[in-house]
Amino acid sequence: MGIILFELALTFYFAAALIGLTELFKESKTTSRIAFLSTIVGFALHTVSIVHRYSTAGHLPITNPHEATSFFAWCIVLIFFVLQYRYKVSLLASFIMPIVFLLMLSSSMLSREIKLISPILQSNWLGVHTVFAFLGNAAFALAFGIGLMYLVQERYVKKKHLGSLFGRLPSLQTLDEINYRLITIGFPLLTIAIITGALWAETAWGSYWNWDPRETWSLITWFIYAIILHARLVAGWRGRRAAVLSMIGFVTILIAFFGVKLLKKGLHVFL
Amino acid sequence: MKILVIGLNHRIADVEVRERLAFHGGKLEEGLLRLRELPGIEEAMIISTCNRVELYAHSQDAGKAAESIKSFLAAFHQIDRAALDRSLYVYDDVDAIRHIFRVAASLDSMVVGEPQILGQLKDAFEVALSKKTTGVLLNKLLKKAISVAKRVRTETKIAENAVSVSFAAVELAKKIFTDLSKRVFMLLGAGEMAELAAKHLITNGVKDVLVSNRTYERACDLAREFNGRPVKFDEFINELVRTDIIICSTGAPHYILTKAQMQKVMRERKHRQVFIIDISVPRNIDPAINDLDNVYLYNVDDLQEVVDANMFERRKEAEKAERIIDEEVETFLRWLASLDSVPTIIALRERADEIKREELEKLFGKLQDLGPKEREAIEYMATAITNKLIHPPTAALKGDTENKEQLVAAIRRLYGIDGERDEE
């Protein structure tokens, strides 16, 4: 049952991502509506699958790579909806849904077995730390997509060659502002995640900071977004530089998340 | 029946000829009424704009009608008939229908996709309606043309991108800034194109306007015109810190804004986006300014390139529009064919028989114990009633009347033959 729900969600996200990509070339009201609907359906199924897994396992299903990647994707879609409700950014789905789909696809290829979890994870810190971390990362994922849209639009306007997406992409100022807004949301969430992580580490391992690779990369990520915010407030860095930095920031998140896991070192063994 | 289009447009006649043939003001109504009175013309309409003068007519004999319309035009405008013949096009039937649809959809316009023509066509149609010079056929044709034009506009991107330099400037401003009404705009210098672009920006929401000019009085005049504030020319750089959009068109022979100056301005305004349009020739703004982050500098040639690219897009969309028009011409031809009297006579008879059969079935269903004799008598009576009822319209359809189409359309409507509802 859980597996079916997950696979269905994956299928609907796939449809939304596929339509999103074709819309980069040709858009119509009907296809946009179908894409948005399948995102909604996918998200609903995804939510049910997470709740189902929670009730089966008896703890928050964010304890292995399969669950974590799936939850990450879920958070991105959640923030995507909030953003669309607030700003109605056209073409956003084309830039975001492929990311969501790829995350879900990698999640689907990881082991779905529900194992007995180590005592370290049987803690209230699990929910607090991971939920904040993934919501923050999801905000940054959207900042990545918005940043990419900014770079495309900026290139058109700067090079004076108004490509096919020019008319449909939002204005530079709008994209820049949303990018900034997302980072101001993601940054405190990431900060809280790091602090709660440190507190949890203290109770679990006896020390706040152990310099394991994930901690290090998270700190790098934190610094990158801190620089973006600082440079914007003090020196007025905005536009292309902010967009590029926010994209680099998301790449460090992916390294912290997947790269570190591939090295199979460090204390964050379970994820 | 024949639909006829006789006229000229910007492509085949230059402006002097178009002017001489134009129906201005009161002349339109006068011309329209006289046109309608011509022998053999059953319906008529005239559209006269600065780019085209066209006469639409419905007549049984296209050849004769074309002749008399041409003579009428020559007499009405006092033009030599031979010269007139050279500068007119004549379309009939399918070609005429397609032409009218293309005109309405702005495919025949000088600037393909420009929206004014549809309004002009509607106005011309209104005049014809108020003078009662059109009838069933032209009314249906014009209504269809208007709906075709709307369909083309919603289903293609024919009117989407700016095709003039000043509109291109506005289009770009909208893709740089979120909300033009919150932006500060400065007009630096003056000139026709610059002022036109300024007007477009203001109609698109810009409220905060600064005007600077080498002669301060001129700046004050323009500031009044645009409801803005004049700025002394040697102080304009100070205002750039809060200015988001600049249109520059001064006669200066050198750069009045250098990269170093702009760099300083950008630091002070915390790198908020700036859009600069340099219309001056020679250029007044150092082109290297475009290399600065968040500064977007366009000169006239850049804007012209944008316009050219948009024109190219429009031509591609126009091909889609042509396909829509082909489709709609087909639909209209089908309706036209239905106005033939023979199928109408058949349809009328079928409709009557259908009603008769239904009613008989109902009646016999209720009165089960009727004998075969009574049934026969009732059937006989029903047939007699329907026959008598449809005899006069059938006879009228078979007869030879002048306004056959009108009659056919009326009968089809009165007897509910089509069941087809008009989309308007």
Side-chain angles (χ1 to χ4, degrees), chain A:
Chain A
M1 155 85 166
I3 290 171
I4 294 170
L5 286 168
F6 181 90
E7 300 288 343
L8 277 173
L10 180 69
T11 313
F12 278 100
Y13 287 151
F14 174 66
L18 202 64
I19 297 172
L21 288 177
T22 62
E23 287 199 312
L24 292 175
F25 304 97
K26 192 173 166 26
E27 191 182 29
S28 82
K29 269 187 190 137
T30 337
T31 54
S32 308
R33 210 167 292 155
I34 293 171
F36 194 66
L37 259 169
S38 47
T39 311
I40 291 177
V41 175
F43 184 69
L45 291 164
H46 195 181
T47 310
V48 178
S49 89
I50 290 173
V51 171
H52 178 260
R53 200 171 170 96
Y54 178 78
S55 64
T56 315
H59 56 81
L60 262 188
I62 321 179
T63 55
N64 67 25
H66 160 72
E67 292 171 346
T69 318
S70 150
F71 186 67
F72 189 11
W74 186 86
C75 290
I76 294 176
V77 183
L78 178 73
I79 296 185
F80 167 78
F81 282 134
V82 174
L83 211 59
Q84 287 303 57
Y85 177 74
R86 173 79 177 73
Y87 293 99
K88 290 202 175 57
V89 187
S90 63
L91 282 183
L92 181 58
S94 309
F95 287 79
I96 292 300
M97 288 319 290
I99 299 178
V100 170
F101 170 68
L102 286 179
L103 284 173
M104 287 295 277
L105 190 68
S106 43
S107 168
S108 76
M109 293 186 295
L110 295 162
S111 161
R112 303 183 191 184
E113 203 182 333
I114 298 180
K115 282 191 204 148
L116 272 182
I117 52 172
S118 73
I120 292 174
L121 288 176
Q122 293 172 359
S123 152
N124 289 332
W125 289 112
L126 170 69
V128 183
H129 170 68
T130 49
V131 168
F132 278 115
F134 282 117
L135 279 176
N137 286 350
F140 293 140
L142 278 140
F144 172 89
I146 294 278
L148 187 57
M149 291 165 83
Y150 184 94
L151 291 185
V152 173
Q153 185 73 306
E154 142 97 17
R155 201 183 148 76
Y156 288 155
V157 179
K158 198 68 161 185
K159 300 283 176 215
K160 298 159 187 182
H161 175 79
L162 308 182
S164 58
L165 299 180
F166 172 77
R168 288 186 283 147
L169 283 170
S171 73
L172 292 175
Q173 207 190 7
T174 306
L175 290 169
D176 187 45
E177 274 166 15
I178 297 174
N179 183 278
Y180 175 60
R181 176 64 61 87
L182 283 165
I183 292 169
T184 58
I185 293 168
F187 187 71
L189 292 171
L190 180 65
T191 310
I192 295 171
I194 290 176
I195 292 171
T196 53
L199 294 174
W200 187 9
E202 207 276 332
T203 57
W205 299 312
S207 103
Y208 289 107
W209 199 265
N210 301 285
W211 294 108
D212 91 313
R214 176 149 305 149
E215 285 173 355
T216 313
W217 278 100
S218 298
L219 200 62
I220 294 171
T221 308
W222 188 87
F223 270 113
I224 289 176
Y225 288 107
I227 289 168
I228 297 176
L229 291 178
H230 178 80
R232 185 173 189 114
L233 291 173
V234 175
W237 268 36
R238 69 184 73 227
R240 199 172 52 83
R241 290 183 198 187
V244 169
L245 272 182
S246 69
M247 290 176 71
I248 294 174
F250 185 63
V251 172
T252 64
I253 290 174
L254 290 181
I255 294 173
F257 192 67
F258 289 107
V260 172
K261 180 66 205 166
L262 292 177
L263 292 173
K264 291 187 194 297
K265 282 179 194 154
L267 294 165
H268 274 80
V269 276
F270 20 86
L271 268 192

Side-chain angles (χ1 to χ4, degrees), chain B residues 188-240:
Chain B
L188 205 51
E192 198 186 336
M193 202 189 278
E195 286 167 41
L196 189 62
K199 269 182 201 135
H200 285 325
L201 279 173
I202 290 164
T203 46
N204 277 279
V206 173
K207 291 193 186 77
D208 210 341
V209 180
L210 303 175
V211 182
S212 192
N213 199 291
R214 227 169 253 291
T215 41
Y216 189 66
E217 288 76 51
R218 183 90 176 94
C220 294
D221 288 347
L222 282 169
R224 255 193 304 282
E225 189 185 328
F226 293 130
N227 207 4
R229 184 165 64 79
V231 172
K232 289 218 174 69
F233 195 73
D234 46 9
E235 286 170 8
F236 87 84
I237 289 185
N238 302 334
E239 297 286 344
L240 293 188

Side-chain angles (χ1 to χ4, degrees), chain B residues 333-382:
Chain B
L333 285 176
R334 269 200 300 279
W335 177 79
L336 219 50
S338 77
L339 287 192
D340 209 8
S341 54
V342 179
T344 304
I345 294 170
I346 295 168
L348 186 61
R349 150 90 26 216
E350 278 171 358
R351 180 93 184 96
D353 284 343
E354 190 191 349
I355 293 171
K356 182 185 77 181
R357 212 176 36 251
E358 277 172 18
E359 292 304 316
L360 284 175
E361 271 168 26
K362 252 193 257 166
L363 183 76
F364 292 155
K366 275 184 212 152
L367 308 175
Q368 296 283 359
D369 42 349
L370 281 179
K373 238 181 160 179
E374 287 96 337
R375 281 179 184 242
E376 211 172 288
I378 291 171
E379 266 176 45
Y380 181 79
M381 183 195 71

